[in-house]
Amino acid sequence: MAMNIEQIIAKFHEEGFKVTPQRLAICEYVLSSKDHPTTDMAYAEVKRKYPTLSLATVYQTLHLLADIGLLQELEMDDRVSRYDPNTSPHINIICKNCGMVEDYDAKDMAKLWSEIVKGLGFEPIGQRIDVYRYCEKCLKKVKIKKTRGVSLV
Amino acid sequence: MAMNIEQIIAKFHEEGFKVTPQRLAICEYVLSSKDHPTTDMAYAEVKRKYPTLSLATVYQTLHLLADIGLLQELEMDDRVSRYDPNTSPHINIICKNCGMVEDYDAKDMAKLWSEIVKGLGFEPIGQRIDVYRYCEKCLKKVKIKKTRGVSLV
DNA sequence: ATTTAAATAATAATGATTACAATTTAAGAA
DNA sequence: TTCTTAAATTGTAATCATTATTATTTAAAT
């Protein structure tokens, strides 16, 4: 989360990957983001500084970051993945209507989680903890449709 | 989970949806399944009894079941959703290589989960708790690729 | 400065899911 | 039971995020 450029560069070298301006720019954006960006969001943002940036590079880089443990990919029900730089056990509070994601770090999360994981019999390589609701903003829009996608009217 | 046909029919009526043979057949299959089937799996299986079944109906029905709380949809990183008839708080143990999903009900899961949820300030409408690993079978295949998809060689 | 394996860019291909329109049907009313 | 009709089903076309591909560029080791 609070990884600086030097650490990111070191991590790339350590893992045997090349350090490129594109990768660093994407890292800088997504690893400091709070709003769980999509690939498109990262592309739009980073392209402002690197106009030649390709969307394919963004996909490849975000997957790479997930593979080396710097990002958690969240597959969402609108079929557009979002990326979370917080890879430690924490709760993703997700609105089933608008898809907004907020991180929530419960007070004793680490402790409670280790309690839960204790009985598994193996060491997890990652985790995802979601809690679903309709966010305040969406609830204000009153009427929730029964149909798929649960969009508001 | 242990819902019988009568209860399912009652639930449909209660929610204002029609009871059709296709829906009941799909329910019978997916609500008693242990292996977190995909839409295609449900389609292939139920089509044996209802040869006129349409894939679109399976999609629509599974989404309906998720909407009324009888199924949990799990969006997976191969972009093929799987469906879990266990909608209470429990752990999905997921292999990052082959995608296999197992349910794991920790002893004090309900209690620990309520502990975690306590501080949220709202009542969740659902949850998803994943733990990732490489399963025994995949680990035996030895060499794990570094690239996206983490497939074995 | 050279070399080369890896990364990038641009674009085509993929495929699960969704949308759509015509037909069928569940279920309430007569 | 038959009638009515809104909802469900079917078959298929369209969508679109993601992945694959290939030519070009480049990081970084020699």
Side-chain angles (χ1 to χ4, degrees):
Chain A
M1 188 123 154
M3 249 193 166
N4 62 37
I5 288 290
E6 287 72 30
Q7 291 173 304
I8 292 168
I9 291 174
K11 179 75 174 173
F12 277 144
H13 283 151
E14 185 184 321
E15 298 276 347
F17 297 113
K18 290 184 176 174
V19 175
T20 67
Q22 293 92 333
R23 281 178 175 169
L24 289 180
I26 292 166
C27 283
E28 231 168 328
Y29 169 67
V30 74
L31 293 183
S32 68
S33 66
K34 299 285 184 198
D35 52 354
H36 305 75
T38 63
T39 306
D40 277 341
M41 288 163 71
Y43 177 61
E45 185 58 33
V46 179
K47 199 178 175 63
R48 296 172 55 196
K49 295 226 167 168
Y50 290 85
T52 67
L53 184 70
S54 163
L55 182 58
T57 297
V58 181
Y59 272 100
Q60 182 260 5
T61 300
L62 294 179
H63 288 153
L64 176 66
L65 293 174
D67 286 344
I68 65 179
L70 297 185
L71 277 185
Q72 168 71 53
E73 177 177 358
L74 299 176
E75 300 87 12
M76 309 287 284
D77 60 8
D78 64 357
R79 329 189 63 344
V80 183
S81 283
R82 308 187 70 144
Y83 293 87
D84 189 343
N86 184 355
T87 58
S88 62
H90 69 280
I91 295 178
N92 306 118
I93 300 176
I94 300 179
C95 176
K96 273 290 184 185
N97 182 240
C98 68
M100 183 189 61
V101 185
E102 298 172 89
D103 278 4
Y104 175 79
D105 285 284
K107 213 186 347 278
D108 303 318
M109 195 64 210
K111 188 177 175 180
L112 288 168
W113 184 248
S114 74
E115 200 67 36
I116 287 174
V117 162
K118 193 172 292 175
L120 289 177
F122 61 85
E123 197 62 35
I125 59 175
Q127 74 289 317
R128 169 177 181 172
I129 310 168
D130 291 351
V131 157
Y132 304 113
R133 64 155 174 172
Y134 298 110
C135 72
E136 297 297 335
K137 196 172 291 183
C138 286
L139 282 175
K140 283 202 187 103
K141 293 180 194 162
V142 178
K143 193 168 162 51
I144 294 179
K145 275 170 56 182
K146 271 268 185 55
T147 54
R148 170 69 181 166
V150 198
S151 55
L152 298 185
V153 186
Chain B
M1 187 127 150
M3 248 195 168
N4 62 37
I5 288 290
E6 286 73 31
Q7 290 173 306
I8 293 168
I9 291 174
K11 180 73 172 173
F12 278 143
H13 283 151
E14 186 184 317
E15 297 277 348
F17 296 114
K18 290 185 177 175
V19 175
T20 69
Q22 293 93 332
R23 279 178 177 171
L24 289 182
I26 292 166
C27 284
E28 231 169 327
Y29 169 67
V30 75
L31 293 184
S32 68
S33 67
K34 299 286 182 195
D35 52 353
H36 306 75
T38 64
T39 306
D40 277 341
M41 288 164 70
Y43 177 60
E45 185 58 32
V46 179
K47 199 178 175 63
R48 295 172 57 198
K49 295 226 169 173
Y50 290 86
T52 67
L53 184 71
S54 163
L55 183 58
T57 298
V58 180
Y59 273 99
Q60 180 260 3
T61 300
L62 295 180
H63 288 153
L64 176 66
L65 292 174
D67 286 344
I68 65 179
L70 297 186
L71 277 185
Q72 168 71 54
E73 178 176 358
L74 299 175
E75 300 86 14
M76 308 289 284
D77 59 9
D78 64 357
R79 334 203 76 268
V80 182
S81 283
R82 307 188 69 146
Y83 293 87
D84 190 341
N86 184 356
T87 58
S88 62
H90 70 278
I91 295 179
N92 305 119
I93 301 176
I94 299 179
C95 175
K96 273 291 184 186
N97 181 242
C98 68
M100 184 189 61
V101 185
E102 298 171 90
D103 278 4
Y104 175 79
D105 285 285
K107 211 185 350 276
D108 304 317
M109 195 64 211
K111 188 176 174 182
L112 288 167
W113 184 247
S114 75
E115 200 66 33
I116 287 174
V117 162
K118 193 172 291 174
L120 289 177
F122 60 85
E123 197 62 35
I125 58 175
Q127 74 290 316
R128 169 178 181 172
I129 310 168
D130 292 350
V131 157
Y132 304 114
R133 64 155 174 171
Y134 298 110
C135 71
E136 298 296 335
K137 198 172 292 184
C138 287
L139 282 176
K140 283 203 187 102
K141 293 184 196 161
V142 176
K143 194 169 160 50
I144 293 178
K145 276 171 54 182
K146 271 267 184 54
T147 53
R148 169 69 180 166
V150 197
S151 55
L152 298 184
V153 186

